[in-house]
């Protein structure tokens, strides 16, 4: 099926759900003329002459479905003429296919246009005051709730982020449902990357790219919080914030993460050592009972494991799923981390609720543990 046709069907279903009626023949033709014959998910055609002819037959189309027609016109490369035409006819907003809709009917044209790299249409809309770069999504799969376009700038050319900031992108817009990765785009950028299965991903290039984006945000005035500073091992900033009383060593953040959790996960050794010396709780548990040692183990941060152990970290504390740090290290294949935990005295016989020991969970580089006598 033509991708544009799939979008039209989705929009028509959302319209029917919200308005309690189906599109008329002319209304459907008008919306279709705004974007059709899509060659892929990013490129389509528009037929402005047909839109003009339909309007001549029925001038009320602008009022009844003008905002709906603006939605597909916004999304694609090749339909900018339809965007301009609709704005010239007085259409001043995009039809809301998001608020109150279930997932089957959700559709956000600004986010879709941004994903397609269609900055031309977005610039036209933003200049006309129809929308801005700080609109909030409805949490598509894999994206935190209340994410703005700035969230999608991580990993993109810097001029894209400049575009978003220039049209109202707010670095302080609070994300929701982002768990241990924090509440702001800066924090998410500082957090090390995960793979598609939300397991630690040792990708220095990607992490370096994310850290450079974090630096860019700081240069553009993003608030530099203690958690981001710990993740970047910026001890001077951590000392400054703690000294001003703006962030205690033991403060809790999203998902129950402490500054020490952020430092340990980021392998920020200077900050971790300083926090522990200042009284940070070595076995502080997150909302899912994950201690800093769990994070050090699953990421394979061996120096962190030694540091935490020297401060009395509980080697066998289970998280909310019954997994000890040793379970996490063998599951993520961090063989050296597993070996260190075993040397330190971690219990290799402890089982998860499913009845599996850390050795039985061993994957990747730790598989040899299963084969050991």
């Amino acid at each position: 099926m033509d991708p544009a046709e799939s979008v039209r069907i989705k929009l028509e279903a959302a319209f029917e759900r919200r308005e309690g009626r189906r599109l008329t023949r002319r209304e459907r033709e008008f919306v279709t003329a705004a974007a059709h014959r899509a060659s892929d998910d990013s490129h389509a055609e528009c037929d402005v002459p047909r839109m003009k002819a339909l309007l001549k037959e029925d001038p009320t189309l602008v009022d009844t479905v003008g905002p709906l027609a603006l939605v597909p016109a916004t999304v694609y490369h090749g339909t900018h003429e339809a965007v301009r035409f609709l704005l010239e006819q007085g259409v001043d907003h995009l039809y809301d296919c998001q608020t109150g809709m279930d997932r089957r009917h959700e559709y956000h044209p600004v986010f879709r246009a941004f994903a397609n790299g269609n900055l031309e249409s977005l610039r036209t809309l933003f200049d006309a005051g129809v929308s801005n770069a700080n609109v909030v999504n409805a949490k598509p799969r894999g994206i935190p709730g209340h994410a703005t376009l700035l969230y999608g700038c991580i990993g993109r050319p810097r001029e894209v982020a400049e575009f978003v900031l220039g049209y109202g992108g707010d670095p302080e817009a609070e994300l929701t449902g982002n768990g241990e990765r924090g509440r702001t785009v800066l924090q998410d950028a500082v957090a090390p990357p995960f793979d598609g299965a939300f397991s630690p991903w040792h990708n220095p290039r990607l992490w370096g790219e994310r850290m450079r984006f974090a630096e860019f945000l700081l240069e553009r005035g993003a608030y530099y919080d203690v958690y981001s500073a710990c993740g970047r091992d910026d001890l001077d900033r951590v000392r400054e914030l703690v000294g001003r009383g703006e962030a205690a060593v033991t403060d809790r953040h999203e998902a129950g993460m402490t500054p020490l959790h952020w430092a340990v996960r980021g392998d920020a050794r200077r900050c971790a050592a300083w926090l522990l010396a200042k009284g940070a709780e070595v076995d502080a548990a997150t909302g899912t009972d994950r201690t800093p040692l769990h994070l050090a183990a699953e990421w394979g941060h061996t120096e962190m494991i030694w540091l935490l152990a020297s401060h009395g970290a509980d080697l066998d504390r289970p998280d909310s799923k019954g997994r000890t740090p040793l379970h996490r290290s063998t599951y993520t294949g961090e063989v050296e981390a597993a070996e260190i935990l075993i040397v330190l005295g971690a219990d290799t016989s402890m089982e998860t609720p499913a009845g599996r020991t850390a050795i039985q969970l061993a994957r990747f580089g730790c598989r040899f543990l299963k084969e050991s006598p």
Side-chain angles (χ1 to χ4, degrees), residues 25 40 50 98 111 117 120 152 162 167 172 184 246 370:
R25 178 189 60 79
D40 53 40
R50 180 57 181 156
Q98 180 183 19
F111 278 87
E120 179 184 31
E162 294 281 13
Y167 281 101
E172 309 311 321
T184 67
E246 293 186 17
K370 292 182 179 181

Side-chain angles (χ1 to χ4, degrees), residues 149-200:
L149 295 188
L150 194 59
Y151 177 85
C153 290
I154 302 175
R156 292 202 177 196
R158 201 59 75 236
E159 56 266 25
V160 175
E162 294 281 13
F163 168 85
V164 170
L165 289 172
Y167 281 101
D170 182 7
E172 309 311 321
E174 188 169 293
L175 306 174
T176 60
N178 208 27
E180 294 179 359
R181 301 188 66 80
R183 296 177 188 162
T184 67
V185 175
L186 173 63
Q187 291 170 356
D188 190 271
V190 168
F194 284 78
D195 62 17
F198 295 100
S199 294

Side-chain angles (χ1 to χ4, degrees), residues 47 67 72 74 99 119 156 175 190 200 213 243 265 277 292 295 307 316:
D47 188 348
T74 295
T99 305
L119 301 188
R156 292 202 177 196
L175 306 174
V190 168
F213 184 70
R265 184 181 56 185
L295 302 187
L307 175 64
D316 298 318

Side-chain angles (χ1 to χ4, degrees), residues 138-294:
K139 196 176 181 182
R141 182 176 298 176
I143 299 179
H146 292 88
T148 65
L149 295 188
L150 194 59
Y151 177 85
C153 290
I154 302 175
R156 292 202 177 196
R158 201 59 75 236
E159 56 266 25
V160 175
E162 294 281 13
F163 168 85
V164 170
L165 289 172
Y167 281 101
D170 182 7
E172 309 311 321
E174 188 169 293
L175 306 174
T176 60
N178 208 27
E180 294 179 359
R181 301 188 66 80
R183 296 177 188 162
T184 67
V185 175
L186 173 63
Q187 291 170 356
D188 190 271
V190 168
F194 284 78
D195 62 17
F198 295 100
S199 294
W201 187 13
H202 293 287
N203 187 325
R205 181 198 60 77
L206 180 57
W207 198 2
E209 190 175 80
R210 297 176 68 87
M211 284 295 192
R212 286 189 292 275
F213 184 70
E215 185 68 32
F216 165 81
L217 291 176
L218 291 172
E219 291 171 356
R220 297 305 186 277
Y223 177 69
Y224 196 10
D225 61 275
V226 69
Y227 307 99
S228 298
C230 284
R232 299 179 73 237
D233 205 13
D234 188 345
L235 184 54
D236 290 340
R237 178 60 174 171
V238 173
R239 283 172 170 162
E240 176 189 356
L241 290 171
V242 173
R244 292 192 331 217
E246 293 186 17
V249 169
T250 56
D251 270 0
R252 296 295 180 128
H253 193 50
E254 190 74 7
M257 294 275 283
T258 65
L260 182 60
H261 282 97
W262 278 78
V264 168
R265 184 181 56 185
D267 203 20
R269 301 171 194 175
R270 293 192 311 151
C271 284
W274 187 84
L275 290 166
L276 287 165
K278 288 292 183 178
E281 185 182 349
V282 70
D283 285 326
T286 67
T288 53
D289 292 329
R290 283 156 59 80
T291 67
L293 189 58
H294 280 93

Side-chain angles (χ1 to χ4, degrees), residues 11-342:
L11 297 181
E12 186 168 348
F15 181 89
E16 182 177 348
R17 182 181 178 87
R18 183 182 294 281
E19 308 300 332
R21 71 173 181 85
R22 294 184 177 183
L23 295 176
T24 66
R25 178 189 60 79
R26 279 201 183 102
E27 288 173 336
R28 185 177 297 109
E29 284 188 36
F30 190 75
V31 173
T32 301
H36 60 279
R37 294 180 183 172
S39 58
D40 53 40
D41 289 335
S42 303
H43 299 80
E45 300 176 13
C46 64
D47 188 348
V48 173
R50 180 57 181 156
M51 296 175 77
K52 290 179 179 179
L54 287 165
L55 271 182
K56 190 172 182 179
E57 296 174 11
D58 183 0
T60 66
L61 289 174
V62 168
D63 298 320
T64 59
V65 292
L68 189 67
L70 186 58
V71 170
T74 295
V75 169
Y76 297 101
H77 295 279
T79 57
H80 188 235
E81 185 182 356
V83 171
R84 291 199 309 265
F85 173 72
L86 288 165
L87 294 178
E88 290 168 359
Q89 302 311 305
V91 176
D92 60 3
H93 66 282
L94 291 154
Y95 191 81
D96 186 357
C97 295
Q98 180 183 19
T99 305
M101 296 289 183
D102 59 35
R103 179 149 299 186
R104 289 175 303 163
H105 299 90
E106 284 179 7
Y107 194 81
H108 204 306
V110 171
F111 278 87
R112 178 50 55 191
F114 184 72
N116 290 344
N118 188 6
L119 301 188
E120 179 184 31
S121 288
L122 290 181
R123 181 176 287 107
T124 298
L125 289 179
F126 295 166
D127 285 341
V130 170
S131 187
N132 60 58
N134 212 38
V135 294
V136 173
N137 78 341
K139 196 176 181 182
R141 182 176 298 176
I143 299 179
H146 292 88
T148 65
L149 295 188
L150 194 59
Y151 177 85
C153 290
I154 302 175
R156 292 202 177 196
R158 201 59 75 236
E159 56 266 25
V160 175
E162 294 281 13
F163 168 85
V164 170
L165 289 172
Y167 281 101
D170 182 7
E172 309 311 321
E174 188 169 293
L175 306 174
T176 60
N178 208 27
E180 294 179 359
R181 301 188 66 80
R183 296 177 188 162
T184 67
V185 175
L186 173 63
Q187 291 170 356
D188 190 271
V190 168
F194 284 78
D195 62 17
F198 295 100
S199 294
W201 187 13
H202 293 287
N203 187 325
R205 181 198 60 77
L206 180 57
W207 198 2
E209 190 175 80
R210 297 176 68 87
M211 284 295 192
R212 286 189 292 275
F213 184 70
E215 185 68 32
F216 165 81
L217 291 176
L218 291 172
E219 291 171 356
R220 297 305 186 277
Y223 177 69
Y224 196 10
D225 61 275
V226 69
Y227 307 99
S228 298
C230 284
R232 299 179 73 237
D233 205 13
D234 188 345
L235 184 54
D236 290 340
R237 178 60 174 171
V238 173
R239 283 172 170 162
E240 176 189 356
L241 290 171
V242 173
R244 292 192 331 217
E246 293 186 17
V249 169
T250 56
D251 270 0
R252 296 295 180 128
H253 193 50
E254 190 74 7
M257 294 275 283
T258 65
L260 182 60
H261 282 97
W262 278 78
V264 168
R265 184 181 56 185
D267 203 20
R269 301 171 194 175
R270 293 192 311 151
C271 284
W274 187 84
L275 290 166
L276 287 165
K278 288 292 183 178
E281 185 182 349
V282 70
D283 285 326
T286 67
T288 53
D289 292 329
R290 283 156 59 80
T291 67
L293 189 58
H294 280 93
L295 302 187
E298 71 183 14
W299 280 96
H301 296 328
T302 55
E303 293 300 320
M304 283 294 183
I305 294 175
W306 289 112
L307 175 64
L308 294 168
S310 72
H311 282 79
D314 186 345
L315 301 178
D316 298 318
R317 178 164 176 164
D319 63 15
S320 62
K321 294 184 178 180
R323 305 170 302 189
T324 67
L326 183 58
H327 283 112
R328 293 304 296 152
S329 65
T330 58
Y331 181 76
T332 57
E334 298 297 341
V335 59
E336 189 174 356
E339 289 174 336
I340 291 172
L341 287 167
I342 292 172

